[in-house]
PDB file of all heavy atoms in Angstrom:
ATOM      1  N   ALA A   1     153.116 134.834 128.602  1.00 97.00           N
ATOM      2  CA  ALA A   1     154.028 135.601 129.459  1.00 97.00           C
ATOM      3  C   ALA A   1     155.154 134.680 129.929  1.00 97.00           C
ATOM      4  O   ALA A   1     154.943 133.479 130.153  1.00 97.00           O
ATOM      5  CB  ALA A   1     153.279 136.168 130.667  1.00 97.00           C
ATOM      6  N   ILE A   2     156.355 135.250 130.062  1.00 97.00           N
ATOM      7  CA  ILE A   2     157.525 134.460 130.470  1.00 97.00           C
ATOM      8  C   ILE A   2     157.660 134.459 131.991  1.00 97.00           C
ATOM      9  O   ILE A   2     157.591 135.508 132.637  1.00 97.00           O
ATOM     10  CB  ILE A   2     158.819 135.041 129.842  1.00 97.00           C
ATOM     11  CG1 ILE A   2     158.751 134.976 128.305  1.00 97.00           C
ATOM     12  CG2 ILE A   2     160.055 134.308 130.357  1.00 97.00           C
ATOM     13  CD1 ILE A   2     159.894 135.699 127.594  1.00 97.00           C
ATOM     14  N   TRP A   3     157.857 133.265 132.544  1.00 95.00           N
ATOM     15  CA  TRP A   3     158.126 133.106 133.977  1.00 95.00           C
ATOM     16  C   TRP A   3     159.509 132.484 134.118  1.00 95.00           C
ATOM     17  O   TRP A   3     159.759 131.407 133.590  1.00 95.00           O
ATOM     18  CB  TRP A   3     157.078 132.181 134.619  1.00 95.00           C
ATOM     19  CG  TRP A   3     155.728 132.810 134.639  1.00 95.00           C
ATOM     20  CD1 TRP A   3     154.875 132.978 133.581  1.00 95.00           C
ATOM     21  CD2 TRP A   3     155.073 133.380 135.776  1.00 95.00           C
ATOM     22  NE1 TRP A   3     153.735 133.618 133.991  1.00 95.00           N
ATOM     23  CE2 TRP A   3     153.821 133.872 135.336  1.00 95.00           C
ATOM     24  CE3 TRP A   3     155.418 133.513 137.130  1.00 95.00           C
ATOM     25  CZ2 TRP A   3     152.924 134.498 136.197  1.00 95.00           C
ATOM     26  CZ3 TRP A   3     154.520 134.130 137.988  1.00 95.00           C
ATOM     27  CH2 TRP A   3     153.285 134.617 137.524  1.00 95.00           C
ATOM     28  N   LEU A   4     160.387 133.161 134.821  1.00 92.00           N
ATOM     29  CA  LEU A   4     161.727 132.620 135.033  1.00 92.00           C
ATOM     30  C   LEU A   4     161.690 131.590 136.148  1.00 92.00           C
ATOM     31  O   LEU A   4     161.049 131.799 137.170  1.00 92.00           O
ATOM     32  CB  LEU A   4     162.699 133.745 135.418  1.00 92.00           C
ATOM     33  CG  LEU A   4     163.349 134.480 134.238  1.00 92.00           C
ATOM     34  CD1 LEU A   4     164.058 133.494 133.333  1.00 92.00           C
ATOM     35  CD2 LEU A   4     162.385 135.309 133.448  1.00 92.00           C
ATOM     36  N   MET A   5     162.385 130.464 135.927  1.00 84.00           N
ATOM     37  CA  MET A   5     162.316 129.362 136.879  1.00 84.00           C
ATOM     38  C   MET A   5     163.653 129.121 137.580  1.00 84.00           C
ATOM     39  O   MET A   5     163.884 128.055 138.125  1.00 84.00           O
ATOM     40  CB  MET A   5     161.920 128.079 136.140  1.00 84.00           C
ATOM     41  CG  MET A   5     160.743 128.250 135.207  1.00 84.00           C
ATOM     42  SD  MET A   5     159.231 128.561 136.111  1.00 84.00           S
ATOM     43  CE  MET A   5     158.839 126.910 136.611  1.00 84.00           C
ATOM     44  N   GLY A   6     164.554 130.075 137.507  1.00 79.00           N
ATOM     45  CA  GLY A   6     165.845 129.871 138.163  1.00 79.00           C
ATOM     46  C   GLY A   6     166.781 129.050 137.285  1.00 79.00           C
ATOM     47  O   GLY A   6     166.472 128.703 136.148  1.00 79.00           O
ATOM     48  N   ARG A   7     167.944 128.725 137.844  1.00 80.00           N
ATOM     49  CA  ARG A   7     168.948 127.965 137.104  1.00 80.00           C
ATOM     50  C   ARG A   7     168.445 126.571 136.783  1.00 80.00           C
ATOM     51  O   ARG A   7     167.799 125.936 137.609  1.00 80.00           O
ATOM     52  CB  ARG A   7     170.233 127.814 137.938  1.00 80.00           C
ATOM     53  CG  ARG A   7     170.756 129.087 138.553  1.00 80.00           C
ATOM     54  CD  ARG A   7     171.281 130.051 137.540  1.00 80.00           C
ATOM     55  NE  ARG A   7     172.405 129.505 136.784  1.00 80.00           N
ATOM     56  CZ  ARG A   7     172.866 130.033 135.662  1.00 80.00           C
ATOM     57  NH1 ARG A   7     172.286 131.102 135.155  1.00 80.00           N
ATOM     58  NH2 ARG A   7     173.892 129.505 135.040  1.00 80.00           N
ATOM     59  N   VAL A   8     168.760 126.100 135.592  1.00 82.00           N
ATOM     60  CA  VAL A   8     168.355 124.741 135.222  1.00 82.00           C
ATOM     61  C   VAL A   8     168.993 123.738 136.191  1.00 82.00           C
ATOM     62  O   VAL A   8     168.413 122.704 136.506  1.00 82.00           O
ATOM     63  CB  VAL A   8     168.753 124.444 133.760  1.00 82.00           C
ATOM     64  CG1 VAL A   8     168.541 122.988 133.433  1.00 82.00           C
ATOM     65  CG2 VAL A   8     167.920 125.305 132.820  1.00 82.00           C
ATOM     66  N   ASP A   9     170.189 124.083 136.708  1.00 77.00           N
ATOM     67  CA  ASP A   9     170.845 123.200 137.692  1.00 77.00           C
ATOM     68  C   ASP A   9     170.000 123.060 138.951  1.00 77.00           C
ATOM     69  O   ASP A   9     170.193 122.148 139.743  1.00 77.00           O
ATOM     70  CB  ASP A   9     172.215 123.769 138.135  1.00 77.00           C
ATOM     71  CG  ASP A   9     173.027 124.292 136.975  1.00 77.00           C
ATOM     72  OD1 ASP A   9     172.690 123.935 135.836  1.00 77.00           O
ATOM     73  OD2 ASP A   9     173.981 125.054 137.197  1.00 77.00           O
ATOM     74  N   ASP A  10     169.098 124.031 139.204  1.00 78.00           N
ATOM     75  CA  ASP A  10     168.272 123.984 140.412  1.00 78.00           C
ATOM     76  C   ASP A  10     166.941 123.266 140.183  1.00 78.00           C
ATOM     77  O   ASP A  10     166.084 123.271 141.054  1.00 78.00           O
ATOM     78  CB  ASP A  10     167.979 125.411 140.922  1.00 78.00           C
ATOM     79  CG  ASP A  10     169.229 126.091 141.467  1.00 78.00           C
ATOM     80  OD1 ASP A  10     170.144 125.368 141.882  1.00 78.00           O
ATOM     81  OD2 ASP A  10     169.284 127.329 141.465  1.00 78.00           O
ATOM     82  N   VAL A  11     166.762 122.692 138.997  1.00 78.00           N
ATOM     83  CA  VAL A  11     165.518 121.953 138.749  1.00 78.00           C
ATOM     84  C   VAL A  11     165.615 120.592 139.437  1.00 78.00           C
ATOM     85  O   VAL A  11     166.631 119.910 139.351  1.00 78.00           O
ATOM     86  CB  VAL A  11     165.273 121.780 137.235  1.00 78.00           C
ATOM     87  CG1 VAL A  11     164.116 120.832 136.975  1.00 78.00           C
ATOM     88  CG2 VAL A  11     164.976 123.136 136.607  1.00 78.00           C
ATOM     89  N   MET A  12     164.545 120.209 140.144  1.00 85.00           N
ATOM     90  CA  MET A  12     164.554 118.934 140.885  1.00 85.00           C
ATOM     91  C   MET A  12     163.840 117.861 140.070  1.00 85.00           C
ATOM     92  O   MET A  12     162.912 118.164 139.333  1.00 85.00           O
ATOM     93  CB  MET A  12     163.840 119.126 142.233  1.00 85.00           C
ATOM     94  CG  MET A  12     164.446 120.242 143.067  1.00 85.00           C
ATOM     95  SD  MET A  12     163.466 120.621 144.536  1.00 85.00           S
ATOM     96  CE  MET A  12     162.028 121.405 143.822  1.00 85.00           C
ATOM     97  N   ASN A  13     164.295 116.644 140.236  1.00 81.00           N
ATOM     98  CA  ASN A  13     163.648 115.539 139.538  1.00 81.00           C
ATOM     99  C   ASN A  13     162.994 114.624 140.573  1.00 81.00           C
ATOM    100  O   ASN A  13     163.664 113.832 141.223  1.00 81.00           O
ATOM    101  CB  ASN A  13     164.683 114.775 138.714  1.00 81.00           C
ATOM    102  CG  ASN A  13     164.015 113.991 137.604  1.00 81.00           C
ATOM    103  OD1 ASN A  13     162.894 113.523 137.774  1.00 81.00           O
ATOM    104  ND2 ASN A  13     164.687 113.839 136.483  1.00 81.00           N
ATOM    105  N   VAL A  14     161.679 114.779 140.730  1.00 82.00           N
ATOM    106  CA  VAL A  14     160.955 114.024 141.750  1.00 82.00           C
ATOM    107  C   VAL A  14     160.034 113.027 141.063  1.00 82.00           C
ATOM    108  O   VAL A  14     159.114 113.419 140.350  1.00 82.00           O
ATOM    109  CB  VAL A  14     160.134 114.982 142.651  1.00 82.00           C
ATOM    110  CG1 VAL A  14     159.433 114.207 143.751  1.00 82.00           C
ATOM    111  CG2 VAL A  14     161.024 116.069 143.236  1.00 82.00           C
ATOM    112  N   SER A  15     160.320 111.750 141.247  1.00 75.00           N
ATOM    113  CA  SER A  15     159.513 110.693 140.629  1.00 75.00           C
ATOM    114  C   SER A  15     159.268 110.971 139.144  1.00 75.00           C
ATOM    115  O   SER A  15     158.153 110.835 138.654  1.00 75.00           O
ATOM    116  CB  SER A  15     158.161 110.549 141.336  1.00 75.00           C
ATOM    117  OG  SER A  15     158.367 110.351 142.713  1.00 75.00           O
ATOM    118  N   GLY A  16     160.316 111.403 138.447  1.00 71.00           N
ATOM    119  CA  GLY A  16     160.198 111.631 137.006  1.00 71.00           C
ATOM    120  C   GLY A  16     159.620 112.984 136.622  1.00 71.00           C
ATOM    121  O   GLY A  16     159.557 113.321 135.454  1.00 71.00           O
ATOM    122  N   HIS A  17     159.190 113.760 137.631  1.00 77.00           N
ATOM    123  CA  HIS A  17     158.686 115.107 137.327  1.00 77.00           C
ATOM    124  C   HIS A  17     159.816 116.107 137.517  1.00 77.00           C
ATOM    125  O   HIS A  17     160.507 116.075 138.532  1.00 77.00           O
ATOM    126  CB  HIS A  17     157.542 115.485 138.281  1.00 77.00           C
ATOM    127  CG  HIS A  17     156.297 114.696 138.046  1.00 77.00           C
ATOM    128  ND1 HIS A  17     155.259 115.160 137.279  1.00 77.00           N
ATOM    129  CD2 HIS A  17     155.929 113.467 138.483  1.00 77.00           C
ATOM    130  CE1 HIS A  17     154.295 114.249 137.250  1.00 77.00           C
ATOM    131  NE2 HIS A  17     154.676 113.211 137.966  1.00 77.00           N
ATOM    132  N   ARG A  18     159.985 117.013 136.535  1.00 75.00           N
ATOM    133  CA  ARG A  18     161.022 118.041 136.672  1.00 75.00           C
ATOM    134  C   ARG A  18     160.378 119.311 137.231  1.00 75.00           C
ATOM    135  O   ARG A  18     159.596 119.967 136.557  1.00 75.00           O
ATOM    136  CB  ARG A  18     161.697 118.299 135.320  1.00 75.00           C
ATOM    137  CG  ARG A  18     162.564 117.099 134.906  1.00 75.00           C
ATOM    138  CD  ARG A  18     163.104 117.220 133.513  1.00 75.00           C
ATOM    139  NE  ARG A  18     163.960 118.390 133.319  1.00 75.00           N
ATOM    140  CZ  ARG A  18     165.244 118.453 133.693  1.00 75.00           C
ATOM    141  NH1 ARG A  18     165.817 117.426 134.289  1.00 75.00           N
ATOM    142  NH2 ARG A  18     165.951 119.533 133.467  1.00 75.00           N
ATOM    143  N   ILE A  19     160.715 119.576 138.472  1.00 82.00           N
ATOM    144  CA  ILE A  19     160.045 120.660 139.198  1.00 82.00           C
ATOM    145  C   ILE A  19     161.056 121.760 139.524  1.00 82.00           C
ATOM    146  O   ILE A  19     162.163 121.488 139.984  1.00 82.00           O
ATOM    147  CB  ILE A  19     159.425 120.102 140.507  1.00 82.00           C
ATOM    148  CG1 ILE A  19     158.370 119.052 140.149  1.00 82.00           C
ATOM    149  CG2 ILE A  19     158.822 121.212 141.350  1.00 82.00           C
ATOM    150  CD1 ILE A  19     157.869 118.266 141.341  1.00 82.00           C
ATOM    151  N   SER A  20     160.650 122.995 139.315  1.00 80.00           N
ATOM    152  CA  SER A  20     161.539 124.124 139.571  1.00 80.00           C
ATOM    153  C   SER A  20     161.518 124.505 141.049  1.00 80.00           C
ATOM    154  O   SER A  20     160.454 124.598 141.663  1.00 80.00           O
ATOM    155  CB  SER A  20     161.063 125.298 138.719  1.00 80.00           C
ATOM    156  OG  SER A  20     161.275 126.507 139.361  1.00 80.00           O
ATOM    157  N   THR A  21     162.706 124.730 141.609  1.00 87.00           N
ATOM    158  CA  THR A  21     162.792 125.167 143.017  1.00 87.00           C
ATOM    159  C   THR A  21     162.017 126.475 143.205  1.00 87.00           C
ATOM    160  O   THR A  21     161.372 126.683 144.227  1.00 87.00           O
ATOM    161  CB  THR A  21     164.256 125.407 143.431  1.00 87.00           C
ATOM    162  OG1 THR A  21     164.864 126.295 142.504  1.00 87.00           O
ATOM    163  CG2 THR A  21     165.045 124.112 143.468  1.00 87.00           C
ATOM    164  N   THR A  22     162.046 127.340 142.186  1.00 85.00           N
ATOM    165  CA  THR A  22     161.388 128.652 142.276  1.00 85.00           C
ATOM    166  C   THR A  22     159.897 128.513 142.570  1.00 85.00           C
ATOM    167  O   THR A  22     159.339 129.247 143.376  1.00 85.00           O
ATOM    168  CB  THR A  22     161.572 129.433 140.953  1.00 85.00           C
ATOM    169  OG1 THR A  22     162.961 129.469 140.647  1.00 85.00           O
ATOM    170  CG2 THR A  22     161.051 130.849 141.044  1.00 85.00           C
ATOM    171  N   GLU A  23     159.241 127.552 141.895  1.00 82.00           N
ATOM    172  CA  GLU A  23     157.795 127.403 142.095  1.00 82.00           C
ATOM    173  C   GLU A  23     157.452 126.937 143.508  1.00 82.00           C
ATOM    174  O   GLU A  23     156.497 127.411 144.109  1.00 82.00           O
ATOM    175  CB  GLU A  23     157.211 126.422 141.065  1.00 82.00           C
ATOM    176  CG  GLU A  23     157.178 127.010 139.673  1.00 82.00           C
ATOM    177  CD  GLU A  23     156.116 126.381 138.793  1.00 82.00           C
ATOM    178  OE1 GLU A  23     156.021 125.143 138.733  1.00 82.00           O
ATOM    179  OE2 GLU A  23     155.365 127.129 138.163  1.00 82.00           O
ATOM    180  N   VAL A  24     158.249 125.993 144.021  1.00 90.00           N
ATOM    181  CA  VAL A  24     157.974 125.486 145.374  1.00 90.00           C
ATOM    182  C   VAL A  24     158.254 126.591 146.399  1.00 90.00           C
ATOM    183  O   VAL A  24     157.507 126.779 147.365  1.00 90.00           O
ATOM    184  CB  VAL A  24     158.793 124.211 145.676  1.00 90.00           C
ATOM    185  CG1 VAL A  24     158.432 123.661 147.057  1.00 90.00           C
ATOM    186  CG2 VAL A  24     158.536 123.147 144.600  1.00 90.00           C
ATOM    187  N   GLU A  25     159.318 127.352 146.168  1.00 92.00           N
ATOM    188  CA  GLU A  25     159.628 128.470 147.069  1.00 92.00           C
ATOM    189  C   GLU A  25     158.498 129.492 147.072  1.00 92.00           C
ATOM    190  O   GLU A  25     158.079 129.976 148.128  1.00 92.00           O
ATOM    191  CB  GLU A  25     160.948 129.143 146.645  1.00 92.00           C
ATOM    192  CG  GLU A  25     162.163 128.282 146.989  1.00 92.00           C
ATOM    193  CD  GLU A  25     163.436 128.680 146.259  1.00 92.00           C
ATOM    194  OE1 GLU A  25     163.424 129.684 145.514  1.00 92.00           O
ATOM    195  OE2 GLU A  25     164.431 127.973 146.422  1.00 92.00           O
ATOM    196  N   SER A  26     157.975 129.799 145.883  1.00 90.00           N
ATOM    197  CA  SER A  26     156.871 130.764 145.809  1.00 90.00           C
ATOM    198  C   SER A  26     155.627 130.251 146.524  1.00 90.00           C
ATOM    199  O   SER A  26     154.918 131.023 147.161  1.00 90.00           O
ATOM    200  CB  SER A  26     156.538 131.091 144.355  1.00 90.00           C
ATOM    201  OG  SER A  26     157.538 131.919 143.813  1.00 90.00           O
ATOM    202  N   ALA A  27     155.371 128.963 146.415  1.00 90.00           N
ATOM    203  CA  ALA A  27     154.215 128.377 147.112  1.00 90.00           C
ATOM    204  C   ALA A  27     154.385 128.536 148.626  1.00 90.00           C
ATOM    205  O   ALA A  27     153.450 128.903 149.335  1.00 90.00           O
ATOM    206  CB  ALA A  27     154.059 126.906 146.741  1.00 90.00           C
ATOM    207  N   LEU A  28     155.594 128.289 149.126  1.00 95.00           N
ATOM    208  CA  LEU A  28     155.842 128.431 150.568  1.00 95.00           C
ATOM    209  C   LEU A  28     155.695 129.886 151.013  1.00 95.00           C
ATOM    210  O   LEU A  28     155.081 130.190 152.031  1.00 95.00           O
ATOM    211  CB  LEU A  28     157.237 127.904 150.925  1.00 95.00           C
ATOM    212  CG  LEU A  28     157.358 126.370 150.929  1.00 95.00           C
ATOM    213  CD1 LEU A  28     158.814 125.934 150.816  1.00 95.00           C
ATOM    214  CD2 LEU A  28     156.714 125.777 152.184  1.00 95.00           C
TER     215      LEU A  28
END
């Protein structure tokens, strides 16, 4: 199944991990 992760420009790079803002927002 496809999960949209928002704009690629909104992907964060934390300690080498590329994390989507969408996932963190959903967790909150």
